[in-house]
Amino acid sequence: MRSDSGKPSSIPIKIALALLQAMTLIFVITSVVFAVPPAQAPDGEALFTSKGCIACHTIGGGDLVGPDLSGVTKVRTEEWLTKWLTAPDQMLTSDPDAQALLAQYNNVPMPNLGLKPDEVAALIVYLGGGATTGNTAIGLAAGDATSGKAYFVGDERFENGGPHCISCHSVAGIGALGGGNLGPDLTTSGFVKSDAAFATFMGAPSTLTMGAIWKNTPLTAQEQADLYAFLSKATVTQREPSALLQIALLSVAGAAALIVLAQVYWGKRLRGVRKPMIERTLAAKK
Amino acid sequence: MDIRAHVSMVFHLDKCIGCHTCSIACKNIWTDRKGTEYMWWNNVETKPGTGYPTQWEDQEKYKGGWQRDENGKIHLRLHNRAGGLTNIFYNPALPTMDDYYEPWTYDYENLFNAPEGDDQPTARAVSMITGKPMDSIEAGPNWDDDLGGSPVYASNDVNLDKLTEEEREQLNEIERVVFFYLPRICNHCLNPGCVAACPAGAIYKRGEDGIVLLSQEKCRAWRMCISGCPYKKTYFNWASGKSEKCILCYPRLESGQPPACFHSCVGRIRYLGVLLYDADQIEKRASAPDHELVAAQRDMIMDPFDPAVIAAAKKNKISDAMIASAQNSPVYKFVKKWQIALPLHPDFRTLPMLYYVPPMLPVLAKTKDGNYDVDGLEKEGLPAMLSSLEKARMPIKYMASLFSAGNVPVVEEVYRKLIAVRIFKRAQKVKDYQQAEVDAALAQGKTNAEEVEAIFRLTSLPTYEERFVIPPLGREVAVEAWESPLDRKREAGFGVRNKIAKRKF
Ligand code: SF4
Ligand code: SF4
C-alpha cells in the first residue's frame, strides 16, 4: 500500500510537467533538423497536367467534359477564379455563375483538387499567359456495346484488374436494381458526352476517387472503346418507368415475405399478460 | 469443499405491514432517473395477487429460471444455445410495458396556472414515457394493493392453481378473505438465471460477497436477463439502453450501512448477514428433484463454527472478520439453525439467497351470535385461535407453492415451530395456556424452550446490530491493486466509478 503523502495529486502533476518538457524538447529538435528548404514557386504548366486539369479541359482545343479554358481570365475576375480553383464545391452551393456552368456542362461538378494558394496563383498565371494545349483529346476506335456492358456489370474482367463500374455507378439498361450509388449515375452523365471527353478523362482521371482507383490499373484502349459504346447507347434521359415499378414491387414483396416469416418464427412470442388476463377473467364471469 | 461467503437476507413476513417505505427508499436513491421510472428494484406485493410485473411467477409465459429434464440436468427455460443465437436480435419472452405499468405523474402546474373558470382546475395524469396526458390509468406496480380476494387480480395468482375449486371458493367468503404482503428485491441467487442468460457477459456475482451486479459498460441491451430472471428483477432502462438491477446498495454495505430498504423498513422485518456456502455443490443442489429443493439448499449452507469449514474458508482467502461475521449472522440462525426461513420459489432453481419466514395467518372462523366461533379446533386437541395449521385461512398448499416447490411437510414444519413460539410466549405473558398444551406445542414444533426464546428475541426485540450483521467487505483490499485505498477513500469513497457513456459506433 502506498503511504499517504497528504498531497493527493502531486505525483500526476509531476508526471504531466515532465511530459510537457519532453514534448517541447522533441518539437524544438525536429523543427531544427527537418526545417524545410524554402519552396520554389510552382510551375503552372506542369500543374495543369499533374493535377489532372487536362483530363477534362483543353486550352484552345475545344470542350471535353469541361469547357475550353482559352481566354478564361478575360471572362472571369482573378478573385472569382481564385475562389473557384480553391473550393469549387463551396462555390457551387453559393455562386450563381458557378451553378449556371454546372447546368451547362451536364451537371458534372468541378472536383475540389485540394490546390494550395500558391498553386492556384500559378495556374491563374498560366491560364492568363496565352499558352495553349492544342487538341489533347484522345480518339477511340469503334467499340462493342455488348462487351462494354459485360465489363460494366462484371461479367468480363478488365485486363489490368480494375474494379467493375457497377460497384459504384448505376446506369440505365442493366436491370431493375441498377448499380452502386457511390459514384454518379452515368445515365445522363456529361462524362459520356463524346468519345473524346470520355477517353481523355478515363486516360488519367483527375477526381480523387477515380484517380486513386485507376492510377495503377488503367483501362486499355479497347476496353474504353467498348465501355463508351455501351454507355453512349445506354444514355437515355430517364430510367424506364417499368424498371422503377419493378424495384418497388420487389421491395414490397420482399418486405411482406420477411414479415410473414417473422410471424411464423416468432408466433409464440409474449404479447402481453395483464390485458389478456383481465379480458379472460371478465369474459368468464359473464 | 469450495467455501465462499455470501451476504444474504431474511424477510420476516409476519412483521411486514405493507407500508412500501422500502420501495420508496430504494426509488429515491436509485431509480428516479429518466428511463427508470417504471422500475421498482424493491416492490411489495399483496398475496394472493398477480404481483409486478403481472403474473411474474408464470414461467410458461415469461420463460424465466431453470428447468430440470428427465436426466436430472438443468437448462435455462428461455432457450438453448442455438435458440439464443437465432433469437438474439429479437427476444420473444419480454414483458410488455403494460405488464409492468406505464409510469405517470400529474400536471400539477395546471392547479396554479389554469385560467379562471367555473370549475376547479384539475391535475391530469401525464405519462412519464410519452409526456402525453393519460385518459385512464389501468395498472400500477401495486394495483391490487390490500385487495384480498379481488376477483381479477387476486384470483389470477398462479399459486392458487394448486388448490381445489372448493378451497378457492372459500378464499372469497367474507370472514375468510385473507392476504399478506410479500416484499421482493433481487435475490442475489447462487445460480442466477440472469447471469446465465446474458450473451454479453455483463452480469457477474462479486467474488467477495456474492452480490449480483450488471455492468453498465458491458451491457449491450440484448435484454436476455430480463427473461432469464424468473423473479423479473432486472429491468431495461429505455433511456440509457442498458439493463439495471438491484445492487443491494453495495456502496452502503461497503461503508458499513445496511441497504436503504433494510435500513428504512418500518416493520423491521429485514435481516442481513453472511452465509458460508459450498460452491462445489451449486449445480448438484440446483438440479435436485422438486420436493428436495429446500433441503438441498439448506445443505449447501455450511456451519461457520465447524473447524473444517473455517479451514476451507481460510484457504479461499476469506478473512477472519468475514468468518466471525458469518458466525454472528442472523440469516444463518433463521435459515439453517432454526430452519424457519424458506427461499421464495425454489422451483425456479436459481438458489435465491433471500429467505422468507412465512407469515402466521388467521384461522378460519365463522361469526355466530356476534362472536367468532372457531369450530372444531378442540377436537384436534389444540387450543383455539392461534394454533391450528389445518384451519389456517390460507391453505398450506398455497404457502408450499410459494416457499417449498409444493412440498407441504417442509412448510408445515416451519409453521409448527412458529406456532410453538406463539403458544410458549402467550403462556408466559397472558397465562391462558396450560403447561401440557405448551409442551405439546413444543413437541409438535420439534423445538425446546431455549430455542423458542431465542427465536422470539430475534423476531420481536432485535437491536439494529442484531438485525444487520454487516461484514467488512474489504473493498479497500480489492482496489489496492490499482490505487492507494486512502486516496480513494478520501476522494471518491470506495467502489469503482466510471462515467457511463452510450457506446459510439
Ligand atoms: S433474482 Fe437477482 S440474481 Fe436472481 S436471477 Fe433475478 S436478477 Fe439474477
Ligand atoms: S418497509 Fe418493511 S414493513 Fe414496510 S412494506 Fe417494506 S418490508 Fe414491509
Side-chain angles (χ1 to χ4, degrees):
Chain A
M1 197 199 289
R2 224 164 58 202
S3 74
D4 180 26
S5 67
K7 280 179 240 140
S9 39
S10 60
I11 288 169
I13 287 181
K14 271 182 203 158
I15 293 176
L17 279 175
L19 266 178
L20 197 70
Q21 284 168 359
M23 276 161 55
T24 322
L25 199 66
I26 289 172
F27 179 75
V28 170
I29 291 174
T30 43
S31 48
V32 170
V33 173
F34 299 103
V36 201
Q40 282 164 359
D43 167 9
E45 184 172 1
L47 280 173
F48 195 80
T49 312
S50 69
K51 287 290 171 189
C53 315
I54 202 160
C56 299
H57 300 281
T58 63
I59 306 176
D63 286 359
L64 291 174
V65 174
D68 182 341
L69 297 178
S70 61
V72 70
T73 46
K74 298 194 186 79
V75 185
R76 308 279 172 204
T77 63
E78 186 175 331
E79 190 200 342
W80 191 93
L81 276 175
T82 309
K83 272 206 261 172
W84 176 246
L85 287 173
T86 313
D89 39 354
Q90 278 171 30
M91 288 279 277
L92 281 171
T93 62
S94 54
D95 187 272
D97 287 339
Q99 283 159 355
L101 272 175
L102 179 68
Q104 189 186 343
Y105 285 90
N106 300 293
N107 288 318
V108 176
M110 161 92 174
N112 187 332
L113 297 170
L115 299 173
K116 298 192 190 74
D118 52 351
E119 292 170 338
V120 171
L123 273 171
I124 294 174
V125 169
Y126 170 63
L127 290 173
T132 60
T133 56
N135 187 357
T136 54
I138 306 168
L140 275 182
D144 170 19
T146 324
S147 64
K149 182 176 177 187
Y151 284 130
F152 191 94
V153 300
D155 287 347
E156 198 71 47
R157 279 173 193 277
F158 287 125
E159 194 181 315
N160 292 326
H164 297 286
C165 321
I166 196 169
S167 350
C168 299
H169 296 284
S170 194
V171 74
I174 54 164
L177 291 180
N181 277 327
L182 285 174
D185 185 334
L186 298 179
T187 312
T188 55
S189 172
F191 285 103
V192 288
K193 178 169 72 163
S194 70
D195 67 332
F198 180 73
T200 314
F201 180 74
M202 283 311 295
S206 57
T207 55
L208 278 180
T209 28
M210 288 293 272
I213 290 171
W214 297 105
K215 198 168 145 226
N216 297 320
T217 55
L219 294 173
T220 64
Q222 190 54 45
E223 285 164 354
Q224 289 184 12
D226 292 348
L227 274 174
Y228 178 72
F230 168 63
L231 289 173
S232 53
K233 199 173 112 194
T235 304
V236 287
T237 44
Q238 237 178 347
R239 247 178 230 286
E240 306 136 56
S242 72
L244 288 176
L245 194 71
Q246 238 175 323
I247 295 180
L249 283 180
L250 222 69
S251 327
V252 171
L258 279 179
I259 289 173
V260 169
L261 212 69
Q263 287 298 328
V264 172
Y265 188 78
W266 285 298
K268 284 211 221 97
R269 69 186 181 273
L270 198 60
R271 292 163 200 256
V273 173
R274 195 191 67 90
K275 277 203 178 117
M277 176 188 92
I278 289 180
E279 276 156 25
R280 227 181 315 115
T281 313
L282 295 183
K285 287 212 184 331
K286 262 181 204 152
Chain B
M1 210 164 23
D2 179 6
I3 297 295
R4 304 202 189 154
H6 201 295
V7 174
S8 318
M9 306 146 273
V10 164
F11 287 3
H12 198 309
L13 294 187
D14 236 359
K15 303 206 281 171
C16 180
I17 58 173
C19 61
H20 299 274
T21 308
C22 45
S23 309
I24 299 299
C26 175
K27 170 133 298 256
N28 281 343
I29 297 182
W30 301 118
T31 58
D32 58 349
R33 292 159 289 128
K34 187 167 173 234
T36 65
E37 301 93 345
Y38 81 96
M39 296 180 196
W40 294 87
W41 293 357
N42 181 110
N43 75 304
V44 184
E45 292 171 8
T46 298
K47 283 280 173 191
T50 52
Y52 156 86
T54 311
Q55 289 188 315
W56 59 271
E57 292 154 288
D58 188 349
Q59 305 310 341
E60 293 298 317
K61 296 195 175 80
Y62 289 111
K63 307 255 185 292
W66 304 84
Q67 220 173 4
R68 184 173 186 267
D69 65 15
E70 322 74 69
N71 308 323
K73 286 229 166 285
I74 53 169
H75 308 276
L76 271 189
R77 195 186 289 265
L78 180 63
H79 51 223
N80 54 20
R81 252 162 223 248
L85 213 58
T86 45
N87 279 338
I88 194 149
F89 290 106
Y90 180 71
N91 176 354
L94 285 175
T96 62
M97 183 91 264
D98 180 68
D99 299 329
Y100 294 101
Y101 74 108
E102 185 168 348
W104 73 89
T105 179
Y106 294 96
D107 178 15
Y108 295 109
E109 257 181 31
N110 191 46
L111 298 180
F112 300 96
N113 301 346
E116 205 178 316
D118 294 338
D119 303 312
Q120 293 277 1
T122 53
R124 285 183 80 183
V126 177
S127 163
M128 286 171 95
I129 290 183
T130 60
K132 299 211 175 87
M134 287 165 75
D135 288 333
S136 63
I137 293 171
E138 286 174 19
N142 55 341
W143 195 245
D144 49 347
D145 207 21
D146 296 350
L147 286 178
S150 89
V152 175
Y153 288 94
S155 67
N156 273 305
D157 185 322
V158 228
N159 300 293
L160 295 175
D161 292 354
K162 308 264 161 56
L163 307 190
T164 63
E165 201 48 45
E166 195 197 338
E167 287 168 320
R168 295 185 67 143
E169 283 299 313
Q170 283 178 355
L171 283 177
N172 293 334
E173 279 174 36
I174 195 115
E175 301 293 351
R176 289 191 175 184
V177 163
V178 64
F179 68 85
F180 62 97
Y181 300 108
L182 181 70
R184 302 201 297 122
I185 64 173
C186 163
N187 299 289
H188 299 275
C189 309
L190 282 187
N191 185 32
C194 58
V195 175
C198 176
I203 315 183
Y204 59 101
K205 210 170 163 56
R206 281 215 310 202
E208 64 265 38
D209 50 25
I211 298 176
V212 175
L213 296 177
L214 199 161
S215 163
Q216 295 296 293
E217 277 159 11
K218 281 196 171 175
C219 175
R220 291 284 172 270
W222 300 119
R223 283 176 278 176
M224 296 298 173
C225 58
I226 292 162
S227 312
C229 169
Y231 302 92
K232 290 290 158 283
K233 278 296 170 188
T234 59
Y235 303 86
F236 183 65
N237 180 330
W238 52 266
S240 72
K242 310 270 179 183
S243 295
E244 298 183 10
K245 67 179 285 299
C246 157
I247 57 174
L248 202 61
C249 287
Y250 73 83
R252 288 175 59 95
L253 285 175
E254 282 164 12
S255 53
Q257 291 172 287
C261 56
F262 286 66
H263 207 155
S264 63
C265 177
V266 175
R268 303 190 175 180
I269 79 157
R270 298 178 178 221
Y271 300 81
L272 182 128
V274 174
L275 291 179
L276 298 181
Y277 69 98
D278 180 4
D280 281 340
Q281 301 183 26
I282 292 179
E283 188 177 355
K284 183 169 141 225
R285 302 301 185 188
S287 320
D290 272 356
H291 64 281
E292 288 171 19
L293 276 168
V294 171
Q297 199 169 335
R298 273 184 195 145
D299 279 350
M300 55 187 300
I301 296 168
M302 295 296 170
D303 179 359
F305 297 98
D306 180 346
V309 172
I310 296 178
K314 288 196 170 159
K315 218 178 90 211
N316 266 2
K317 304 234 159 53
I318 294 176
S319 68
D320 289 350
M322 191 67 120
I323 296 171
S325 174
Q327 291 172 338
N328 211 6
S329 162
V331 179
Y332 180 75
K333 292 184 185 128
F334 277 117
V335 176
K336 180 88 176 189
K337 198 166 160 203
W338 303 330
Q339 311 213 332
I340 53 174
L342 301 167
L344 175 63
H345 279 298
D347 43 316
F348 298 159
R349 298 174 184 278
T350 61
L351 303 177
M353 287 306 255
L354 159 56
Y355 298 84
Y356 291 85
V357 180
M360 299 282 279
L361 296 169
V363 289
L364 280 179
K366 287 197 166 133
T367 34
K368 215 189 206 170
D369 312 328
N371 289 318
Y372 270 124
D373 173 26
V374 189
D375 67 348
L377 286 181
E378 275 74 15
K379 266 183 255 142
E380 288 175 33
L382 288 168
M385 291 308 283
L386 295 169
S387 44
S388 174
L389 201 48
E390 286 66 26
K391 291 281 167 186
R393 286 194 191 189
M394 181 57 78
I396 210 81
K397 269 191 275 176
Y398 178 88
M399 291 301 176
S401 165
L402 270 182
F403 296 119
S404 67
N407 185 340
V408 171
V410 167
V411 184
E412 273 176 359
E413 256 178 45
V414 171
Y415 271 116
R416 298 223 185 275
K417 195 176 268 190
L418 293 174
I419 290 171
V421 176
R422 284 227 175 160
I423 293 184
F424 183 90
K425 288 312 286 185
R426 189 166 170 112
Q428 252 182 16
K429 302 277 173 192
V430 192
K431 303 193 171 39
D432 59 351
Y433 282 109
Q434 304 304 316
Q435 189 56 39
E437 288 171 328
V438 175
D439 290 343
L442 287 180
Q444 273 204 9
K446 297 193 187 124
T447 179
N448 54 51
E450 194 194 345
E451 187 180 68
V452 161
E453 197 64 58
I455 294 176
F456 166 74
R457 285 207 68 81
L458 197 57
T459 302
S460 302
L461 308 167
T463 60
Y464 175 96
E465 284 79 14
E466 285 166 339
R467 281 186 285 141
F468 310 127
V469 180
I470 299 163
L473 287 186
R475 198 64 196 156
E476 63 280 12
V477 182
V479 299
E480 206 176 45
W482 63 86
E483 65 182 314
S484 155
L486 285 171
D487 284 356
R488 177 60 165 194
K489 189 174 182 184
R490 185 175 46 224
E491 287 165 11
F494 290 121
V496 185
R497 264 169 244 188
N498 295 324
K499 252 202 205 137
I500 301 160
K502 269 199 178 175
R503 194 155 75 123
K504 294 196 181 67
F505 291 94

